[in-house]
């Protein structure tokens, strides 16, 4: 059974204080690891897909990296508008399905 | 390009009633999935449809059902509602073509169901 564990559950940062969110996963065959951002009252918004160990993707102040067991979402010099819940999900390489298994998320608060 | 549209945004129902939720995917997307989100369990997979066929189903009781129409629009139905069915129900669509099997899911803003 695929499993995704995110840590920490919640993180408070001062504006400009860089940090990383962790996503540990167990999957029989990884087809993709996905990062999403979710704001209160809204659906998850797609950020990145990572496919293989060593891969990195960047978008503005966010950088996602992938190893064989974990993914990290690095946030550089965060701003208050980066406050949200960040979700990690994996897709199994089993044929015929787009199903994602999600972690429970990290709630990020960036204080001005 | 319009995103995934879910209606209604909010619903209040009584135990024992049934409810139908609607989802219109992004134009051109033929794969539609449904997820339940609760504070305790996070996002849990309900089912996935492609070309009007259910391709995969999560570990939910038979009270939860869905369907997809020829225009890719989808509905999910929950019968005999229980208090524990209160949740945010999210629909997602994905572009699925040869060579694009890793396309991400794009989510709507969900339907907030409250069962009293």
């Amino acid at each position: 059974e695929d499993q995704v564990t995110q840590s920490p559950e919640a993180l408070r940062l001062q504006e400009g204080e860089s940090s990383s969110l962790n996503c540990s996963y167990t999957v029989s065959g990884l087809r993709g690891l996905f990062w999403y951002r979710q704001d209160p009252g809204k659906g998850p918004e797609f950020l990145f897909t990572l496919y293989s160990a060593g891969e990195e993707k960047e978008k503005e102040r966010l950088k996602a990296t992938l190893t064989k067991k974990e993914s990290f979402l690095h946030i550089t010099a965060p701003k208050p508008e980066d406050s949200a819940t960040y979700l990690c999900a994996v897709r199994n390489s089993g044929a015929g399905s787009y199903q994602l298994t999600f972690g429970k998320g990290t709630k990020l608060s960036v204080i001005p | 390009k319009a995103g995934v549209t879910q209606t209604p945004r909010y619903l209040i129902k009584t135990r024992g009633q049934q409810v139908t939720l609607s989802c219109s995917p992004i134009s051109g997307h033929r794969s539609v999935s449904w997820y339940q989100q609760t504070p305790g369990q996070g996002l849990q997979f309900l089912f996935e449809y492609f070309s009007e066929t259910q391709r995969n189903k999560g570990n939910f009781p038979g009270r939860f059902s869905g369907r997809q129409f020829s225009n890719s629009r989808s509905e999910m139905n929950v019968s005999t509602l229980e208090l524990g069915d209160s949740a945010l129900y999210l629909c997602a669509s994905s572009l699925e073509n040869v060579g694009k099997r890793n396309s991400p899911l794009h989510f709507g803003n969900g339907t907030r169901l409250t069962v009293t």
Side-chain angles (χ1 to χ4, degrees):
Chain A
E1 183 180 328
D2 302 339
Q3 288 191 334
V4 178
T5 303
Q6 292 188 247
S7 61
E9 289 185 17
L11 182 62
R12 285 171 61 93
L13 299 173
Q14 291 292 321
E15 184 174 0
E17 179 186 3
S18 301
S19 188
S20 295
L21 312 182
N22 177 264
C23 170
S24 298
Y25 65 91
T26 303
V27 62
S28 55
L30 182 68
R31 183 175 286 281
L33 184 140
F34 301 80
W35 281 98
Y36 286 84
R37 167 192 171 128
Q38 186 173 25
D39 293 297
K42 295 197 171 183
E45 175 190 350
F46 170 69
L47 293 173
F48 303 110
T49 309
L50 301 168
Y51 298 108
S52 57
E55 189 174 2
E56 299 181 351
K57 294 268 180 78
E58 283 189 70
K59 179 180 179 179
E60 296 181 357
R61 295 176 293 281
L62 300 177
K63 178 180 176 180
T65 62
L66 182 65
T67 73
K68 289 187 176 180
K69 301 273 189 187
E70 299 175 295
S71 178
F72 295 92
L73 185 65
H74 308 276
I75 303 177
T76 302
K79 298 182 177 182
E81 53 262 42
D82 295 322
S83 297
T85 296
Y86 290 86
L87 297 165
C88 171
V90 296
R91 175 176 288 155
N92 196 300
S93 59
S97 175
Y98 268 46
Q99 177 183 347
L100 294 181
T101 300
F102 281 86
K104 293 189 177 179
T106 293
K107 184 175 182 180
L108 175 66
S109 301
V110 182
I111 313 303
Chain B
K1 200 172 191 181
V4 176
T5 303
Q6 292 187 246
T7 56
R9 284 282 282 135
Y10 301 94
L11 268 177
I12 300 175
K13 291 287 186 177
T14 304
R15 262 185 312 175
Q17 289 186 314
Q18 75 165 19
V19 67
T20 299
L21 313 182
S22 181
C23 172
S24 293
I26 293 171
S27 178
H29 288 194
R30 294 193 296 160
S31 175
V32 173
S33 303
W34 289 87
Y35 288 78
Q36 181 196 67
Q37 186 174 32
T38 58
Q41 299 299 318
L43 276 102
Q44 293 188 291
F45 173 73
L46 280 159
F47 22 66
E48 174 187 323
Y49 289 88
F50 179 77
S51 291
E52 302 178 66
T53 300
Q54 186 179 90
R55 187 159 58 182
N56 198 8
K57 181 173 166 56
N59 189 25
F60 279 82
R63 300 185 296 107
F64 291 81
S65 63
R67 58 177 176 169
Q68 186 181 31
F69 302 96
S70 59
N71 61 359
S72 295
R73 194 176 67 83
S74 178
E75 288 182 348
M76 69 163 280
N77 183 277
V78 188
S79 62
T80 319
L81 284 166
E82 300 178 359
L83 295 178
D85 297 333
S86 294
L88 180 66
Y89 290 89
L90 292 161
C91 172
S93 72
S94 185
L95 179 65
E96 181 169 338
N97 289 310
V98 174
K100 286 190 178 291
R101 289 206 40 88
N102 287 325
S103 295
L105 299 182
H106 297 276
F107 286 86
N109 285 327
T111 294
R112 172 73 63 184
L113 173 64
T114 302
V115 182
T116 62

